[in-house]
Amino acid sequence: MATTSHVDHEFDSLRTLLATANERKTGDELAGIAAESDAERVAAKKALSRVTLRELRENPVVPYEDDEVTRVIQDAVREPVYERIAEWTVADLREFLVDSSTTDREIRAIREGLTSEMIAAVTKLMSNMDLALASSRMTITARCNTTIGEPGTLSFRLQPNDPADDVENILDSTREGLSYGAGDAVIGINPVVDSPENTASILETTHEFIEEWGVPTQNCCLSHVTTQMEAVRDGAPADMLFQSLAGTEAGNDEFGIDVSLLDEADELARRRCSSSGPNVWYFETGQGAELSGDAHEGIDQVTLESRCYGLAKRYDPFLLNTVVGFIGPEYLYDGRQVIRAGLEDVFMGKLHGIPMGIDACYTNHMEADQNDIETLAITLAAAGSNYFITVPMGDDVMLNYQSNSYHDAATLWELFDLEPIEPFGEWLAEMGIMENGRLTERAGDPTVFA
């Protein structure tokens, strides 16, 4: 219970308290679990600040025996680390994370004692600036063919989708994106047709292009994981596997996956993917995914998103990005909610130890515009996001939504004195596209690949 303006507010469970303490999201309102007033939200934050990490560990939002995502999260906790911090309150954890003397090494030292519910809880007590500050202190690297996340670098996924899966159109868009310096995170294509044959065709096309031009990056085709597994078993050159994740067992069932399938795919990827590894997974998540599949279990969006990262951690991915504004205004109504969710997601992922990126994006029926997305990109570049997704002219003509554009990469590098990863920067210099860390006059001209 907490009191504001002489009014008592009572919360009947930690699940209710976590939902009520959330910043305003249309998805939580649609689910009927959001705070009914700002006063109730403040009271919930006040009450949540006094909850101990032990109470959160002992009361997961879905019981251990009912949900395999809960079991993955709980079983991954290192008990000696947890016992050192179990009596901390959520407020204590927040103070630790925003204290100017706290280092990345000290955050790493407690990471394995945290559950996803603890991380979601502290997120609800943090302002946007708190989230950016704490995120910026955490360095998370990962290696597939190349290594991303090193200090001083900012990477980009090149997303050359085509509404007809025409491989020549995909290659044309790939050449354009690379000519702007984008693509060191991955060349990743969302296919229209989810078949092993089409997946193999896209993987072979991108693999051959990468080999021909010596591009230091990795490829991925974002079909369903079972489709990719079949293609890889037939010899398709995939550098990593992809799959969308949810924060509940029921949500993952909607995606057609479970932990057993992911374990099987993980074993296959480590044996058969064409990259040197060891990180061979690309995951995507997004606030509202569970509600859209009627699999939210009465849990708020932030806590569910945090549980996605708890599940992803089991597979030590190379990339994980939230598609923050992609799911629509039913879950994140406007630019303000998208910006808040993007900051929450990158912070929560990094606190889990995940190499986080973001698709800073919005759908055309959302109260948001390109300025909101650029504001989020600037904020998350400051917060140390590993990578962003980029599409031609900020408009994905296959998925019909808006994101960052290929040419946004140069602006973010210049604003924050960042560069692409070292081998990719050297390759750009050899191609005459980059000099002394900045794009040359040849940038944006895909005929450099003629």
Side-chain angles (χ1 to χ4, degrees), residues 240-313:
M240 67 185 92
L241 296 184
F242 165 85
Q243 181 55 44
S244 296
L245 299 179
T248 62
E249 182 177 328
N252 286 318
D253 186 57
E254 288 293 312
F255 283 144
I257 61 169
D258 57 23
V259 170
S260 174
L261 175 64
L262 292 174
D263 286 352
E264 180 185 348
D266 185 63
E267 191 274 334
L268 176 70
R270 294 182 189 284
R271 283 193 299 109
R272 299 289 294 275
C273 276
S274 46
S275 59
S276 54
N279 306 111
V280 290
W281 275 101
Y282 177 5
F283 292 124
E284 281 190 349
T285 63
Q287 291 192 30
E290 297 84 359
L291 180 58
S292 71
D294 195 24
H296 62 95
E297 308 272 10
I299 305 163
D300 69 271
Q301 292 184 175
V302 168
T303 304
L304 288 170
E305 182 72 10
S306 186
R307 286 166 58 89
C308 291
Y309 306 141
L311 174 58
K313 188 175 175 180

Side-chain angles (χ1 to χ4, degrees), residues 84-104:
R84 289 204 302 270
I85 60 175
E87 302 311 320
W88 286 16
T89 64
V90 179
D92 292 334
L93 178 57
R94 177 194 173 277
E95 291 304 304
F96 168 78
L97 291 167
V98 300
D99 191 309
S100 59
S101 66
T102 299
T103 65
D104 184 23

Side-chain angles (χ1 to χ4, degrees), residues 25-27 30 287-288 291-292 301 327-333 337:
K25 305 283 175 57
T26 44
L30 183 63
Q287 291 192 30
L291 180 58
S292 71
Q301 292 184 175
I327 304 178
E330 300 88 348
Y331 313 97
L332 298 171
Y333 181 73
Q337 292 190 17

